[in-house]
Amino acid sequence: MKYYNASLYGENDRLMKNNIIEVEDGHVVSVTKGTNPVVTDEDYDCKGKLVYPSFMDSAVVIPGSEQFKLFGVDISDANSMEDYITRLTAGVTEHGIRGFGFNTNILGVDGAVRIKKLLDRICPHTAAYVWADDMSNVIVNDFVLEEAKRWFTVGRDLYTDGMLDLAEVQYLLKNTDIFSFTHDEMELAIMSFQKKMLSVGITTVRSLSMYCTLETLDVLCDMMRKHFAEGCYSSWKTARIKEIARRLYERYMTKLESYNFDKTECLSCQHNTANQVLFKDECTGGCAGCQNRECMIRKNNEFLVQKAVKLLKDDPHTTLATDGETPAAVLEALEKEGYHVEELEYSVYHYDKGPQMPDAPQAEEFESEEDFTEAKEEYEAEMAAFAEETQRLEFDISEGRVRKYAIIGNLDIEIRYEEIEDEEREVTVNEGQDDEHKVFVTVVPPSPLEGLMQQDRRNREICYEHITTDMKRVFLDVKVANKPLQKEEQQMFYYAVMQRVMSDSKLRQCGFRPKDGSYLTDREQFAAAGRITVKQQAALVRAFLVDYFRSAAPEYGCTDETLLTGMMCRFADLNFSEQSQKVQQEYLKVYERRKARLQEQIDALQAKAEAEEMAVSMQEAPDAEPEMPELLPDETPAIEPTPEPLIIPMDPDIEPDTRMPEEMKTAA
């Protein structure tokens, strides 16, 4: 291919025109002078334009802000705070808000605080963040801050402006998926970025984005610092490319053999280094290193979730747990399906492994038959002890004396056990009386079945605690209607009045303990009461109920059977149905999923208990004749009547008839 009629800069910066640049396989093979070259349709006429070598940008970040332009909110070209707010409000998606481009000069003194409050209001339950235009810091909502508290100390001032610095963001990027984009999104963003770079002649960049290749950047920095820096202890500068590949694989590559998920697909995958020329010599024997970390992590997370669910279904006594090493995506997936994962108080090594099955001896390991026979006898004794310990452990688990944990780690799930000791609790006896005193009582731990039922009750409380909290937020923004009152609303109102407004003496007369409240003065109340309309009365009642429920409804230990909680939800359904149902359905769905999972365990335990009772009753069935019960004195059995004799005795006054009957004579 020829590029003709091109202008070039030659020696001594001299401008040369009418040049022909010949290219083969992407490489320049010749540059010649010529005004009338022989050209084809594939050749390109430069029309006298200046041709440069491609440019290199050593400071640009890949892919710039393209991921936000395509899959987020880009406010870098906005010029006012109002424009920021408008664009961010319109940019809410299922992912929350992924924003970029605020300018500190436009924010002003309280701009960050205003942005954070906006993010909290429009995205209370999803991650929301906005990057600065220079990627130096980011404003986040409370949802992100709560997640950040798991990984580092969050100062109180952060809850005011929600501003995280670059180091804090990098920490969250490594440990969570809050700021991440999907692999497909990043691929499209990089392709779009490349097109823009090529359009201005840039073909090489030297700066990577933390979003797409943060781990790669870490590896490169570590490798350059340890093996290519001046005076480094272990230099790779003189190593051949094959040797560098081997060292990279051993030190930095993620080995598939470390993972426990099914690697059938990995055997033929292009991202498996065993299938690549560069690493082929280092990856003999099948699965080697994976270069598609996103796929590898996804498969590992799916494996952990499936194994955890199977362990729980196989043994309902099992408690899913984490000691902090569980991937966040796994915890989220289990929680979404209604499975509760308990956070352990100690590390996994604090808990017992349980009985360990002994290894069976192998004949080839012994020099003589006698030694092998002796080893087998020892093995049989150890197996008997193992079976006994296992049976005792299972019994203690069924009685609630031992808790069985399935601890979800980073790569696999480990079974551990914890002995539950009886709790000594101090209680007060005859409280408020003259003989009041304290005693210590022993509290026996609940059985697994009782524990599951307690967990269900607690889950129900959590459901309505969340409903109450969010309902109070709804009450902040609702508009009170002036339509006629319903009978239920009147009942709620008068109950609330008795609780909060009536005087101390009046409440005592009615049997209630009053609570003080501050309202209009007596004169103002009297004047307003004299001219109040029906609509004003309705509006006043509803406004009072809104304030009452916001302050009085309990946020802990409540359910739909809690009086105030039920009243509050019903009042909201009557007046703010859309907002009310949105709040309730969100948490009820979570509770129903959790209830379904717990019910599975409860049913399994009850079925197991019934089967055990049936087995015991069958074993206890009597084999011998039952003994006659002892009779009480007044229960003497009735004497059976003597049967009539078959022969009627003769009358002593009558002689016996010794004559032979005629029939017998004939027969004789």
Side-chain angles (χ1 to χ4, degrees):
M1 181 178 181
K2 300 186 186 67
Y3 294 83
Y4 59 96
N5 194 17
S7 299
L8 303 172
Y9 273 110
E11 297 180 355
N12 300 320
D13 294 333
R14 184 168 59 89
L15 182 64
M16 302 182 297
K17 298 182 178 181
N18 299 323
N19 294 278
I20 303 171
I21 306 171
E22 190 170 358
V23 178
E24 291 182 2
D25 298 328
H27 297 277
V28 176
V29 296
S30 67
V31 178
T32 58
K33 297 283 292 183
T35 56
N36 295 306
V38 178
V39 299
T40 65
D41 293 339
E42 295 182 352
D43 298 329
Y44 183 81
D45 185 3
C46 297
K47 299 179 180 180
K49 294 181 179 179
L50 190 62
V51 178
Y52 284 98
S54 61
F55 298 119
M56 180 184 72
D57 194 325
S58 61
V60 69
V61 176
I62 305 173
S65 59
E66 289 300 303
Q67 67 268 40
F68 297 98
K69 295 180 184 296
L70 297 174
F71 309 107
V73 184
D74 184 12
I75 60 173
S76 57
D77 60 342
N79 53 18
S80 68
M81 175 62 74
E82 288 68 25
D83 199 2
Y84 285 175
I85 294 174
T86 300
R87 296 195 190 187
L88 291 173
T89 304
V92 180
T93 67
E94 61 181 19
H95 304 289
I97 292 181
R98 302 185 290 190
F100 167 82
F102 74 79
N103 188 300
T104 54
N105 294 327
I106 296 178
L107 287 183
V109 178
D110 61 345
V113 177
R114 292 180 62 188
I115 294 294
K116 180 186 178 299
K117 289 183 178 179
L118 173 68
L119 299 180
D120 287 334
R121 182 170 60 83
I122 61 181
C123 292
H125 306 299
T126 53
Y129 60 88
V130 188
W131 280 97
D133 52 8
D134 60 355
M135 301 290 286
S136 60
N137 47 36
V138 60
I139 302 173
V140 302
N141 63 347
D142 282 341
F143 183 91
V144 177
L145 290 177
E146 290 299 323
E147 180 64 23
K149 288 170 60 178
R150 297 180 55 192
W151 304 101
F152 54 83
T153 302
V154 176
R156 183 173 294 179
D157 57 332
L158 286 178
Y159 283 93
T160 302
D161 59 14
M163 190 82 74
L164 298 178
D165 59 27
L166 189 58
E168 293 168 334
V169 173
Q170 288 178 328
Y171 201 84
L172 290 176
L173 275 169
K174 290 182 178 180
N175 295 282
T176 71
D177 58 354
I178 288 179
F179 296 93
S180 63
F181 289 80
T182 66
H183 181 274
D184 293 340
E185 289 174 339
M186 291 305 303
E187 184 176 353
L188 292 173
I190 292 173
M191 294 298 294
S192 176
F193 175 82
Q194 288 183 162
K195 291 180 180 179
K196 291 184 177 181
M197 293 295 102
L198 291 173
S199 68
V200 294
I202 299 175
T203 61
T204 306
V205 297
R206 298 181 64 180
S207 197
L208 302 174
S209 170
M210 68 178 75
Y211 271 95
C212 58
T213 54
L214 182 62
E215 294 178 0
T216 304
L217 181 60
D218 290 340
V219 170
L220 291 173
C221 291
D222 185 71
M223 182 180 67
M224 295 300 296
R225 182 175 63 256
K226 293 181 179 180
H227 308 295
F228 289 94
E230 288 295 330
C232 61
Y233 179 76
S234 177
S235 178
W236 292 2
K237 292 181 178 180
T238 58
R240 296 180 178 271
I241 185 64
K242 286 287 186 181
E243 177 64 16
I244 293 178
R246 184 188 67 81
R247 296 174 183 178
L248 279 171
Y249 170 75
E250 291 180 348
R251 188 173 296 258
Y252 297 108
M253 192 64 66
T254 302
K255 294 184 178 181
L256 283 169
E257 63 184 17
S258 303
Y259 291 81
N260 298 295
F261 58 78
D262 185 6
K263 305 180 186 69
T264 304
E265 296 181 355
C266 304
L267 295 175
S268 58
C269 180
Q270 62 178 342
H271 299 293
N272 187 345
T273 55
N275 303 320
Q276 300 176 4
V277 176
L278 180 61
F279 296 99
K280 192 172 183 178
D281 296 339
E282 312 303 327
C283 304
T284 57
C287 290
C290 178
Q291 293 179 322
N292 189 348
R293 181 171 176 79
E294 182 177 354
C295 176
M296 182 188 66
I297 296 299
R298 175 179 56 80
K299 289 185 175 184
N300 182 63
N301 292 342
E302 292 174 352
F303 162 76
L304 293 174
V305 171
Q306 293 172 3
K307 185 172 182 178
V309 173
K310 187 178 185 303
L311 287 172
L312 192 60
K313 291 184 179 295
D314 291 343
D315 186 0
H317 292 108
T318 305
T319 299
L320 300 181
T322 176
D323 65 342
E325 298 296 327
T326 311
V330 174
L331 295 175
E332 182 180 351
L334 290 171
E335 190 72 21
K336 187 177 181 180
E337 293 298 321
Y339 296 102
H340 174 69
V341 182
E342 183 175 325
E343 292 189 11
L344 297 178
E345 186 176 358
Y346 309 101
S347 71
V348 64
Y349 305 105
H350 176 79
Y351 304 90
D352 299 328
K353 287 187 175 182
Q356 302 297 308
M357 180 179 293
D359 296 327
Q362 304 298 322
E364 59 271 14
E365 299 177 352
F366 298 89
E367 297 180 355
S368 65
E369 184 66 26
E370 291 79 9
D371 293 341
F372 180 54
T373 302
E374 184 180 351
K376 287 196 298 181
E377 292 175 354
E378 293 179 358
Y379 169 73
E380 291 173 358
E382 292 174 353
M383 280 297 296
F386 168 75
E388 184 179 353
E389 292 177 6
T390 302
Q391 186 176 6
R392 188 185 307 114
L393 177 63
E394 291 177 352
F395 176 78
D396 290 340
I397 293 174
S398 65
E399 293 294 315
R401 297 291 181 180
V402 173
R403 185 171 295 164
K404 179 181 179 182
Y405 291 109
I407 304 176
I408 309 171
N410 189 42
L411 300 176
D412 208 345
I413 300 177
E414 187 174 0
I415 302 298
R416 295 276 181 152
Y417 304 91
E418 180 187 26
E419 184 176 355
I420 309 300
E421 298 180 354
D422 295 341
E423 179 185 355
E424 293 288 335
R425 185 179 301 173
E426 186 181 35
V427 297
T428 302
V429 180
N430 299 331
E431 186 175 1
Q433 302 180 17
D434 296 338
D435 58 343
E436 177 182 330
H437 62 281
K438 297 183 182 295
V439 297
F440 287 91
V441 297
T442 301
V443 182
V444 179
S447 67
L449 183 59
E450 293 173 343
L452 292 174
M453 292 180 175
Q454 290 177 4
Q455 185 64 54
D456 179 59
R457 288 192 293 270
R458 180 57 189 146
N459 289 341
R460 188 179 179 186
E461 290 178 352
I462 292 173
C463 169
Y464 281 92
E465 288 167 6
H466 285 300
I467 290 175
T468 299
T469 301
D470 284 17
M471 195 73 75
K472 291 182 178 181
R473 295 175 181 173
V474 171
F475 284 171
L476 284 172
D477 300 325
V478 295
K479 182 180 179 181
V480 178
N482 58 6
K483 61 183 180 180
L485 285 172
Q486 299 186 40
K487 187 176 180 180
E488 291 176 276
E489 292 177 295
Q490 294 179 2
Q491 185 179 359
M492 297 174 191
F493 172 74
Y494 292 122
Y495 178 83
V497 170
M498 286 189 293
Q499 291 291 307
R500 301 189 62 172
V501 179
M502 296 179 65
S503 65
D504 194 53
S505 60
K506 292 288 185 181
L507 286 172
R508 288 196 180 95
Q509 293 175 10
C510 299
F512 296 96
R513 181 174 294 179
K515 294 183 178 179
D516 296 331
S518 58
Y519 297 93
L520 298 171
T521 64
D522 293 343
R523 290 182 180 274
E524 290 173 336
Q525 293 184 42
F526 181 78
R531 57 177 182 267
I532 193 170
T533 65
V534 175
K535 291 185 176 181
Q536 290 174 332
Q537 183 182 14
L540 180 62
V541 169
R542 293 191 179 101
F544 175 82
L545 287 174
V546 166
D547 179 76
Y548 173 72
F549 289 133
R550 287 191 59 245
S551 59
E555 296 185 18
Y556 183 81
C558 54
T559 70
D560 54 331
E561 296 178 354
T562 304
L563 180 60
L564 277 180
T565 305
M567 289 169 52
M568 178 188 64
C569 294
R570 179 58 182 161
F571 175 78
D573 289 340
L574 293 173
N575 292 276
F576 327 113
S577 177
E578 182 178 354
Q579 300 100 312
S580 175
Q581 289 301 309
K582 181 180 179 181
V583 170
Q584 295 185 61
Q585 291 303 318
E586 178 183 357
Y587 296 108
L588 283 170
K589 288 180 181 178
V590 176
Y591 166 69
E592 292 298 333
R593 288 196 297 267
R594 292 177 173 177
K595 180 178 179 63
R597 304 304 175 221
L598 290 173
Q599 191 62 47
E600 293 174 359
Q601 294 178 259
I602 292 171
D603 294 342
L605 288 176
Q606 290 176 338
K608 185 176 181 181
E610 292 173 0
E612 292 174 351
E613 291 178 2
M614 180 64 70
V616 172
S617 64
M618 295 293 292
Q619 294 175 358
E620 294 177 352
D623 298 327
E625 292 291 331
E627 297 181 358
M628 294 294 292
E630 295 184 359
L631 299 176
L632 298 176
D634 58 348
E635 294 181 346
T636 304
I639 300 176
E640 294 288 338
T642 304
E644 295 289 333
L646 298 178
I647 301 176
I648 302 174
M650 293 188 300
D651 190 337
D653 298 331
I654 301 177
E655 293 287 333
D657 188 0
T658 58
R659 295 175 295 175
M660 181 180 295
E662 293 297 324
E663 306 84 24
M664 296 181 65
K665 291 180 179 180
T666 304

